[in-house]
Amino acid sequence: MSQTGTVGDKVFRVILFITAAIILLIVAVMIFMMVLNSMPTIRQFGFGFLTGREWKPALSEFGALPFIYGTIVSSLIALIISVPISLGIAIFLVEQAPKKIATPIAFMVELLAAIPSVVYGLWGIFVLAPFVRNYLGVFLENYLGWLPLFQGRLTGIGMLTGGIILALMITPIITAVVRDVFEAVPTTQREAALALGATKWETTQIVLGNASSGIAGAVVLGLGRALGETMAVTMVIGNSPQISASLFEPAYTIASVLAANFAEATDRLYLSALIEIGLVLFLVTFVVNALAKLLILSVTRGRASAKHT
Amino acid sequence: MSTKYSSGKKIIFVFLIFTVVCGLACSQQPIGQSNNLTGSSGSGTVSLLGKGASFPDPIYKKWVSEYGKVNPNIRIDYQSVGSGAGQKALLDKTADFGASDEAMSDEDLKKGDGEILHIPTVLGAVVITYNLADVKEPLKLSAETISDIYLGNIKKWNDERIKKDNPNLTLPDTDILPVYRADSSGTSAVFTDFLSKTVPAWKEKVGANKQPSWITGVGTGAPRNDGVMGQVKQTPNSIGYVELTFAKANNLPTAQIKNKAGNFVEASLEGVSAAAASSVGQMPEDLRVQITNAEGENAYPIASYTYILVYKNQPDAGKGKTLADFLWWAIHDGEKFTKDLHYAPLPTEIVKKAEAKINSMTAGGKPLRQ
């Protein structure tokens, strides 16, 4: 009997190993194919592809910097807006709200996560862009206009609107994950804190500390979606490959340029440039995710040790 | 106990086999599909697949459905994937026919597996639309003005160069926001071809292309016709360009454009037909032509043919015959649907030339139509 048991375990282990290996294999094959197919531009432009600022397919000039900039900045704006809101919603749902209110709100959050991105995009053009142009942008210009971030032509279409749309799209994801993480924190901890005379705020701080690695995971997940989001951003960001300090100016993201042009790229060099920029998105996502994880881990480690002392 | 283990193993093995089979099936699916696509059809239902421009998509869909009513055993699918993708599909043989707003370049024609024919089907136009709340009469624009707006030389609506052509309009002292197509498109190709032909500075700085080199910092890009329309509709003081069919269907305000004869012409089917009629004489033997900035008092200057692309020598006689018959029907009976869908029909002389092209189609050396 024990023999059959070991055989079963072996089979089990092999299967698990295969499933894990599939992920590695997929990533390896993807990178290999992308590198292979982007060889023409890698050879022709080399490192200049990453630092070039001109993107003119008709003249075979390919520089990806404006796209890298647009992708990272729009995702950062999204995180800056979204993370505090998501944490707020999750804390409210788990720590404060009575069940009667929490359930419908949680349901709405999950509903938001299921809306297709093109719907967000249309809503962005017809509602958000006019709102940014007529109210939010004017407000920022009046009170924070001394910052180069909020100067320039205010058309409602641009980096800021793109970032806000992304924030709206990743908020439900971050909220849902953070909520699950909070719920996983044992109730006994809260009860212990409260019994020791801690206020609600202090109790929440303890829960936050214990859930920090889960929160990190949620933020990275949201960031991943923001970096790769295509349709909604394309419709409001203005799609102009430029690097401007102003958040009112149009920008362009990697995912947008891929979506808009991949089907029509018939020229070999152009196709190669698009594949290489896809490879760049891959690397950007990887690097940004790694940095985010490191940053959050270092913060949480500090907190954990501080708590022990 | 032992039965429990063996059943567990069974489940695992079934799972393994399932994964392998599924993997094989998935990997084979596209091959199977492509076999269906290019394989011989024999008797019974004949199906054709076309891919290409989005601009003629409404009328091609109409044709396919009307033709299907007359010939119930023929099934034609048209996928609007874009002009460039349509050309590529024909070259890669992933479609039975391609469709494109732009004629193929000499270089691309050489990549084909045999001679490629351009069959013109209908005509369309690109219109300039704008968002100016207080301007009720149509704006008048010349090629130079449009070019200067998109080059960033004219920044305000009340610029002298715009006012000169519109003495009766009160134009606001606001920044112009030009909107262009962010994706590669036949609409951009026609629009920039017109400006390249008429304005040397445009030709030098931006050029004529499906995806031209837009001046960085001037204007914003939007995906597809609906994206451009959405941005223009939602952004006061903006200007953009879309297809005529699209503008008519959505009741957009359109500018009158100065043509070669010096008249400001409204974007209309009559104007497009006039442009086609006046350029009939310049039609080359292979029918590849751009008719922007055409001669004629009433010619609308940003007009263009759209083409169906086919191989002259068809690989399959049955399918080739079906395709040739469909094309013949399209340029004769099909033309009567043009008006309702805001396309201009082919001039009679061009129908004659297209007939000759369709009659020259062969399969295995034998002509497909007598």
Side-chain angles (χ1 to χ4, degrees):
Chain A
M1 192 192 80
S2 71
Q3 210 176 359
T4 29
T6 24
V7 172
D9 269 0
K10 263 183 194 156
V11 172
F12 184 54
R13 198 182 306 146
V14 167
I15 288 173
L16 288 185
F17 177 75
I18 290 172
T19 48
I22 284 173
I23 283 293
L24 285 180
L25 196 72
I26 289 173
V27 173
V29 169
M30 274 173 77
I31 292 181
F32 175 73
M33 289 309 290
M34 282 161 93
V35 170
L36 191 73
N37 284 304
S38 55
M39 269 336 267
T41 38
I42 292 178
R43 272 207 201 99
Q44 186 158 344
F45 301 104
F47 198 67
F49 185 82
L50 297 179
T51 53
R53 282 165 169 242
E54 294 292 326
W55 181 268
K56 292 185 170 162
L59 306 174
S60 292
E61 277 177 37
F62 300 104
L65 196 62
F67 304 102
I68 299 171
Y69 174 83
T71 304
I72 292 177
V73 173
S74 61
S75 299
L76 273 182
I77 296 173
L79 279 190
I80 290 170
I81 299 172
S82 167
V83 169
I85 295 178
S86 306
L87 283 179
I89 300 174
I91 292 171
F92 175 74
L93 287 179
V94 178
E95 307 292 330
Q96 307 266 342
K99 260 258 157 17
K100 258 185 214 161
I101 308 177
T103 316
I105 292 184
F107 177 74
M108 294 304 274
V109 168
E110 274 153 28
L111 197 74
L112 272 180
I115 295 177
S117 62
V118 68
V119 176
Y120 275 103
L122 283 173
W123 182 83
I125 287 190
F126 290 109
V127 183
L128 186 61
F131 172 76
V132 170
R133 180 178 63 242
N134 297 326
Y135 304 103
L136 183 65
V138 178
F139 174 83
L140 291 171
E141 211 170 25
N142 286 344
Y143 292 95
L144 295 167
W146 46 274
L147 281 171
L149 290 178
F150 304 112
Q151 292 168 357
R153 286 182 310 167
L154 182 56
T155 59
I157 299 287
M159 185 77 101
L160 183 64
T161 316
I164 295 174
I165 271 281
L166 280 177
L168 285 170
M169 296 180 74
I170 65 175
T171 298
I173 295 173
I174 300 183
T175 306
V177 178
V178 170
R179 192 177 62 108
D180 289 348
V181 171
F182 280 171
E183 276 175 352
V185 174
T187 327
T188 46
Q189 287 202 357
R190 296 187 185 92
E191 285 166 356
L194 290 170
L196 286 172
T199 60
K200 273 260 176 192
W201 167 237
E202 286 162 343
T203 313
T204 305
Q205 271 183 304
I206 291 169
V207 173
L208 274 176
N210 284 334
S212 51
S213 67
I215 296 173
V219 171
V220 169
L221 206 67
L223 182 63
R225 172 145 195 211
L227 288 170
E229 177 46 47
T230 312
M231 214 47 225
V233 184
T234 310
M235 292 173 101
V236 294
I237 203 166
N239 304 309
S240 175
Q242 59 173 344
I243 298 177
S244 166
S246 169
L247 298 184
F248 295 158
E249 285 286 322
Y252 218 149
T253 69
I254 296 179
S256 295
V257 73
L258 275 176
N261 298 301
F262 202 77
E264 290 262 339
T266 41
D267 177 59
R268 198 178 72 102
L269 199 65
Y270 189 16
L271 194 63
S272 159
L274 286 177
I275 294 172
E276 189 175 351
I277 206 168
L279 190 67
V280 171
L281 179 61
F282 212 89
L283 295 178
V284 168
T285 314
F286 185 77
V287 169
V288 170
N289 273 356
L291 283 179
K293 274 210 168 130
L294 277 179
L295 183 80
I296 295 165
L297 271 183
S298 69
V299 171
T300 56
R301 197 166 293 152
R303 184 176 295 164
S305 59
K307 212 166 48 196
H308 283 300
T309 51
Chain B
M1 254 335 233
S2 70
T3 48
K4 199 179 170 189
Y5 272 111
S6 68
S7 78
K9 246 190 277 176
K10 246 184 226 162
I11 290 170
I12 287 164
F13 276 121
V14 167
F15 174 75
L16 252 185
I17 288 164
F18 176 77
T19 322
V20 170
V21 168
C22 179
L24 283 177
C26 292
S27 70
Q28 229 143 48
Q29 202 174 13
I31 304 168
Q33 270 177 355
S34 65
N35 274 348
N36 278 343
L37 183 69
T38 51
S40 167
S41 43
S43 61
T45 311
V46 182
S47 56
L48 295 176
L49 175 64
K51 288 183 186 176
S54 54
F55 154 68
D57 182 53
I59 193 157
Y60 288 0
K61 289 266 158 72
K62 179 80 181 160
W63 282 353
V64 163
S65 107
E66 291 294 327
Y67 196 66
K69 282 181 199 160
V70 192
N71 303 282
N73 60 335
I74 291 172
R75 218 183 103 86
I76 305 172
D77 285 311
Y78 183 71
Q79 299 174 354
S80 77
V81 289
S83 292
Q87 295 183 6
K88 201 171 159 190
L90 188 76
L91 294 177
D92 298 343
K93 296 199 164 178
T94 55
D96 298 304
F97 64 92
S100 175
D101 298 338
E102 253 195 331
M104 288 177 76
S105 66
D106 292 335
E107 195 187 324
D108 282 338
L109 282 175
K110 279 190 205 116
K111 292 182 201 159
D113 181 24
E115 192 183 339
I116 292 170
L117 299 178
H118 284 70
I119 314 286
T121 51
V122 293
L123 289 125
V126 176
V127 305
I128 311 290
T129 182
Y130 49 88
N131 183 337
L132 287 169
D134 298 327
V135 173
K136 302 293 175 215
E137 279 174 66
L139 194 66
K140 293 187 169 80
L141 294 170
S142 67
E144 290 76 19
T145 318
I146 300 170
S147 159
D148 276 336
I149 290 173
Y150 275 89
L151 287 175
N153 299 336
I154 295 181
K155 292 197 185 323
K156 298 228 178 228
W157 276 110
N158 62 353
D159 191 287
E160 284 305 319
R161 286 165 280 190
I162 304 179
K163 267 164 100 178
K164 190 182 63 179
D165 291 330
N166 299 279
N168 301 329
L169 298 182
T170 41
L171 294 159
D173 179 25
T174 48
D175 286 341
I176 305 177
L177 175 77
V179 183
Y180 53 81
R181 284 283 291 268
D183 49 337
S184 176
S185 91
T187 313
S188 291
V190 175
F191 177 70
T192 55
D193 180 75
F194 167 59
L195 294 177
S196 289
K197 260 186 198 167
T198 45
V199 185
W202 181 274
K203 191 174 182 182
E204 186 195 321
K205 286 181 182 154
V206 181
N209 201 287
K210 286 198 297 266
Q211 193 174 32
S213 313
W214 301 107
I215 308 291
T216 308
V218 180
T220 63
R224 302 198 309 270
N225 274 300
D226 40 357
V228 173
M229 180 192 74
Q231 278 199 15
V232 173
K233 267 196 166 172
Q234 287 306 311
T235 319
N237 308 314
S238 59
I239 186 169
Y241 61 90
V242 293
E243 286 151 3
L244 173 64
T245 47
F246 202 80
K248 289 276 181 198
N250 291 288
N251 281 320
L252 302 180
T254 57
Q256 297 182 349
I257 312 294
K258 194 180 191 175
N259 67 11
K260 204 170 184 180
N263 299 331
F264 287 96
V265 185
E266 188 191 342
S268 66
L269 298 183
E270 293 73 30
V272 177
S273 291
S278 72
S279 52
V280 158
Q282 298 145 24
M283 187 59 117
E285 203 36 54
D286 59 8
L287 307 186
R288 290 187 295 154
V289 72
Q290 284 283 10
I291 58 161
T292 52
N293 203 30
E295 308 274 351
E297 290 291 309
N298 301 316
Y300 183 74
I302 327 180
S304 123
Y305 282 100
T306 186
Y307 299 94
I308 281 184
L309 310 166
V310 293
Y311 280 109
K312 184 175 183 183
N313 190 15
Q314 289 287 313
D316 180 294
K319 280 187 155 195
K321 169 86 175 129
T322 309
L323 181 55
D325 287 345
F326 170 67
L327 289 174
W328 187 273
W329 177 88
I331 62 166
H332 294 95
D333 298 323
E335 296 289 315
K336 66 169 177 272
F337 301 108
T338 49
K339 206 175 168 206
D340 286 345
L341 295 168
H342 307 292
Y343 297 92
L346 297 178
T348 334
E349 295 89 336
I350 303 302
V351 172
K352 289 259 154 24
K353 294 196 176 189
E355 280 176 1
K357 289 286 169 198
I358 295 171
N359 281 334
S360 74
M361 286 169 71
T362 57
K366 285 182 199 140
L368 290 166
R369 290 182 60 91
Q370 271 73 43

